């Protein structure tokens, strides 16, 4: 079946603009994760959704970052008033509860 | 705070040889340790999971060890092939939240 998909694959924006990144998880996976990967760095956990439970937002770096997951499926990560340090690859993953995580190809965000 | 360190240098090896990657951690007692492979422009792909009460796990040409006393995992690729060239990430967890190392880039020369 289809894997995790993300859109757009690349996003170039100007400092101060808002951006929305989308993730379509594998159908039936209850858990969804967002990570950020900066050049030469490990993946940084941002947020975790599990079913109808309250999300774990402990990794969001500032209040400019927010995410939602509608209908237990598609998720959107929103970054408001983007800064240059937000430039990174944003990766989404889904899993069946705490199982193996399946990652999407990522969205490369460049803030000019 | 917890810290996860992987080989700081990239690994270049000859085809057919064994590649050995290290993952060391501090200030953490993970219940599980996972290894992922990441190719350029792609998301990580899960390879192996080893539990804290397991010493060794194998999958085809891959072998992982987990030493909770040394706080270290070793990842071996035996009979390496050029197709094994990629970045390999270790990840530690006690639940759903994975903490990743920065990765080690392996290049296998034909």
């Amino acid at each position: 079946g289809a894997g995790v998909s993300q859109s757009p694959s690349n996003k170039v924006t100007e400092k101060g603009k808002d951006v929305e990144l989308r993730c379509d998880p594998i159908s039936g996976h209850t858990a969804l994760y967002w990570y950020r990967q900066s050049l030469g760095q490990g993946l940084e956990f941002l947020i975790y959704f599990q079913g109808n439970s309250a999300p774990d937002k402990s990794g969001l770096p500032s209040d400019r970052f927010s995410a939602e997951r509608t209908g237990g499926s598609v998720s959107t990560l929103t970054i408001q008033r983007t800064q240059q340090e937000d430039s990174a690859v944003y990766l989404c993953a889904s899993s069946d509860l705490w199982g193996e995580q399946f990652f999407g190809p990522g969205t490369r965000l460049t803030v000019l | 705070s917890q810290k996860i360190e992987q080989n700081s240098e990239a690994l270049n090896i000859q085809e057919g040889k064994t590649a050995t990657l290290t993952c060391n951690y501090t200030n953490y007692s993970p219940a599980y340790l996972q290894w992922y492979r990441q190719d350029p422009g792609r998301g990580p792909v899960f390879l192996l999971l080893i539990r804290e009460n397991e010493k060794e796990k194998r999958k085809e040409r891959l072998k992982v060890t987990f030493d909770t006393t040394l706080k270290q995992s070793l990842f071996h690729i035996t009979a390496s092939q050029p197709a094994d060239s990629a970045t390999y990430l270790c990840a530690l967890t006690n639940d759903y939240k994975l903490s990743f190392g920065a990765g080690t880039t392996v290049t296998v020369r034909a």
Side-chain angles (χ1 to χ4, degrees):
Chain A
V4 177
S5 61
Q6 293 186 245
S7 61
S9 54
N10 280 285
K11 176 72 177 178
V12 180
T13 190
E14 293 179 347
K15 178 181 171 181
K17 300 282 190 185
D18 298 352
V19 295
E20 280 190 355
L21 313 179
R22 177 187 167 107
C23 171
D24 282 89
I26 292 173
S27 177
H29 277 183
T30 56
L32 186 147
Y33 315 74
W34 282 97
Y35 295 88
R36 178 168 71 174
Q37 187 173 33
S38 302
L39 193 62
Q41 304 292 316
L43 276 73
E44 175 189 4
F45 168 82
L46 297 178
I47 188 168
Y48 163 76
F49 295 91
Q50 173 59 260
N52 295 320
S53 303
D56 177 350
K57 304 179 182 180
S58 60
L60 294 179
S62 78
D63 58 9
R64 296 186 296 103
F65 288 72
S66 63
E68 62 177 23
R69 188 179 185 191
T70 53
S73 181
V74 171
S75 177
T76 302
L77 177 69
T78 301
I79 309 174
Q80 296 178 309
R81 305 181 301 283
T82 51
Q83 305 290 314
Q84 288 183 330
E85 62 262 27
D86 299 335
S87 295
V89 175
Y90 289 82
L91 289 157
C92 172
S94 70
S95 74
D96 184 5
L97 197 57
W98 290 1
E100 166 191 348
Q101 294 187 23
F102 294 82
F103 283 82
T107 294
R108 181 174 297 279
L109 174 66
T110 303
V111 182
L112 301 176
Chain B
S1 61
Q2 61 181 248
K3 195 173 180 183
I4 302 166
E5 290 186 333
Q6 298 189 239
N7 302 54
S8 57
E9 301 292 327
L11 207 57
N12 290 285
I13 61 169
Q14 185 71 39
E15 182 176 11
K17 300 293 186 184
T18 296
T20 298
L21 286 64
T22 61
C23 176
N24 296 294
Y25 58 93
T26 55
N27 299 324
Y28 199 6
S29 296
Y32 308 94
L33 191 147
Q34 302 182 22
W35 283 88
Y36 286 77
R37 168 185 173 140
Q38 187 172 24
D39 291 281
R42 294 177 175 258
V45 174
F46 172 82
L47 295 174
L48 280 166
L49 178 151
I50 187 166
R51 294 175 172 77
E52 61 178 338
N53 60 352
E54 297 177 316
K55 297 293 185 187
E56 182 178 299
K57 184 76 74 78
R58 292 175 185 261
K59 179 182 176 183
E60 298 173 351
R61 294 183 295 108
L62 307 179
K63 185 178 88 170
V64 172
T65 62
F66 192 9
D67 189 325
T68 55
T69 301
L70 291 179
K71 293 186 181 293
Q72 180 183 77
S73 174
L74 298 179
F75 178 82
H76 305 272
I77 307 171
T78 59
S80 60
Q81 304 168 359
D84 295 327
S85 299
T87 296
Y88 292 86
L89 308 170
C90 72
L92 283 60
T93 185
N94 280 313
D95 46 41
Y96 54 82
K97 195 182 299 185
L98 291 178
S99 297
F100 282 87
T104 299
T105 299
V106 174
T107 302
V108 181
R109 303 188 307 275

